[in-house]
Amino acid sequence: MSAAGSLLAAVPAASVLLLTVATRPRGVGAVAPLRLAVVRAALLTGAYAVLVVEVLGALHAVNRAAFTIAWLLFLAVAATAAALRWRRTDDVAPPPAAAPRPVPVGAVASGGGPDAPAPLAVGSGPAPARADRASAGPLAVAVDTWRTAGRGERLLAGAVAGLVLVELLIALLAEPNNFDSQTYHLPKVEHWVAQGDLDFWPTAIHRQVTIPPGAEYLLLHLRLLTGGDALHNLAQWAAGVLCLLVVARITAQLGGGRRAQLLTAFVLASTPMVALQATSTQTDLVCAAWVACAATLVLDGLRRRTGWGTLLGLGAATGLTAVTKTSGLIAVGPLLVLWGLAQLRLALAGRAPADGRRAGGLARTVGGSVLILVVAAVVVGPFLARVTAEFGHPLGPPRLRESIPMERHDPASVLVNALRIGHTAFDTPLAPLRHAGAEAIIGGADAIGVDPQDRAITFGREVFPEPAWYPDEDRVAFPIAGALALIGVAVALARPRRIDSGQAGPLRAYAVVVLTTVLLHTAMIKWQPWGNRLILYALVLAVPLGGLWVDALLRRHARPAAGTARRSIATVAAVTVLATSALAGVLALSYGFPRRLVGAGSVFTTSDWDTRFLRRPQWADEFRWAAAAVRDSGARRIGLVQQNDNWEYPWWLLLRQPDGGSPELVALQSVLPERPPADPASVDAIVCTGSRPACVKLVPAGWRLEFRDYVGYALPPGR
């Protein structure tokens, strides 16, 4: 990556920082105002990034110059907005500070109770304190928070920061090597760059054009600004950081003090799936981040009428979720229903006459709902329009609509699917426990007349059960975070006052949304071995309830009336769970697959090319062998022969033009009915992956074909 590319790549990050300054709430009533500003800035930047791709794609201007101009303009607008906001802040004198209330010695250490002053990071303490903190800079807030934090809180904060920094190191050192990224995430980015637009292309891999491309849109910006993929892992890393900030804010919105927020962030940060995905080019953390943004904006609407800015934010969060991963809408839907009900309740609680109140409140809520949907449609609509025009359905071809969604919805089938998803999500290294659970599920399914391997409720040809405890980014289980979240949901539903007596309504409502999301997911998405990453958005949504429950448990047993024995048991249990969670996170980063710090395949000792092939090391030399032969032949137009799950991305790297330009790669097979493949006679060379017989069928007579185990190539006579 060139120096110019590094500078250009910093422009989006600088824009987010400036927008954080520009969009910070002006009032003193917002919970965690700095984190709210980060959410607003992220949504603005994400929506802008998607719309830039769509607009420039429609203009056939997907190139570095156009994207550079777009980002420099955005940076200028963000800087102007930040400067104006800063000037307004300086012009407004802060109110005189009132004498602070005396703080009980144990209030900060215990995380606070109903009578304790709100922690500094939350922004919900006495009004004068909130005003002082609203005018303070982020650095001053951080220093003050650290100064007043207890030892345990500092330990939690340090652990979260350490995990995030190690993830950043791995993300920067490791080359993209996720399996799906080699097949379709990164090839679609290269197709857009080569074409200069977003038009679909003939391909044997339908996921390159049918799967929502929101996360890849973000990668496209990095690809054009830097000229390569060196920073591609940072998209998911940034999404992971955003998830941590937002779940901490959600915890604060539900009444959690500083310790509860740190507990929530710690549990999520140390979850192996999160730690591994944060260094990847997968898309699940990006989806989870947009869902979490929608959740925190919805919670803001439970107690006050939603303004136009928040409505636009909800629309952007909905659209970004839809354009990134359609399954995320399973959570956004119930969240928006909760928002609508809360807004109607607030309208009916006003002082206007009853009839006018009902009519006005209903009209405002309906108008806000329409605005949310319109904004979401602007973000995701262009992609859905292309898919509908190509396949006659906004969700793509039948093979996509039938492969992942459940095809049976009778209660027995949904129950079996939910049990299998739960078994995979809560898997542990204890093999006897795994086997006993699987046998019980299989036996129970047989007893109620459901085949546990039924293709209508099982993805592809996969077979339940599948071990998921190993720290692999695509399938690793999350038993600790999942168990805490499950307990938190149950307590919030049944006895919310045990968590916070003043937040019983919001806690129960949020728990209903989380439970509804999980139930809808298990009723709509088939079980699959890598299903744990598909439900990551729901885990992120639920973790705040787990953090709140742990904090309430510690707070309750810390009271003198609880007794020494009960205090000791609660403390030991909590410390044990948190230590185990920390160990899981550290082991995931140290030995996780396919990016790790130590051992075989370490990012410090493995070459760039071999890192890309850690999933399939036996293919690394084969791709190089075939690409070298094609380059030496002088071929310019190269045909691709591959199957639906084959790796295409290495060809884009190995066959790139000497000046760095994209190679001319054309598919010799196509699953898109309206886009026929290229004629094999029209290409200068053919490269093949996967099946030799499939390659043989497409190689013209008289050509020389060479094929190894997975990769082959064919050249015409004389080359």
Side-chain angles (χ1 to χ4, degrees), residues 591-615:
Y591 297 99
F593 196 73
R595 291 165 302 281
R596 57 176 53 168
L597 288 174
V598 298
S602 165
V603 293
F604 296 115
T605 60
T606 308
S607 69
D608 294 349
W609 187 251
D610 289 336
T611 297
R612 297 180 184 276
F613 284 84
L614 283 175
R615 285 283 187 192

Side-chain angles (χ1 to χ4, degrees), residues 33 35 117-124 129 133 141 144-148 258:
R35 277 170 272 168
L120 298 177
V122 180
S124 58
R133 291 182 58 77
V141 172
D144 200 17
T145 300
W146 183 263
R147 180 179 57 83
T148 59
R258 182 166 56 201

Side-chain angles (χ1 to χ4, degrees), residues 1 7 63 67 73 135 156-157 168 188 224 235 267 269 290 335 374 470 478 517 540 573 607-608 614 635:
M1 182 174 60
L7 290 175
N63 56 65
F67 274 61
L73 288 173
S135 61
L156 289 171
L168 175 60
K188 70 169 66 173
L224 288 171
V267 170
W290 301 136
L335 284 168
V374 168
Y470 184 79
F478 34 80
T517 297
V540 171
S607 69
D608 294 349
L614 283 175

Side-chain angles (χ1 to χ4, degrees), residues 18 30 42 70 77 80 116 148 175 185 222 290 293 296 307 344 359 380 383 392 454 504 507 520 522 648 666 694:
L18 290 169
V77 171
T80 302
T148 59
E175 311 303 312
H185 289 312
L222 291 175
W290 301 136
C293 288
T296 195
L344 285 175
V380 71
F383 168 71
D454 186 355
L507 281 167
L520 287 174
T522 57
E648 180 181 313
V666 296

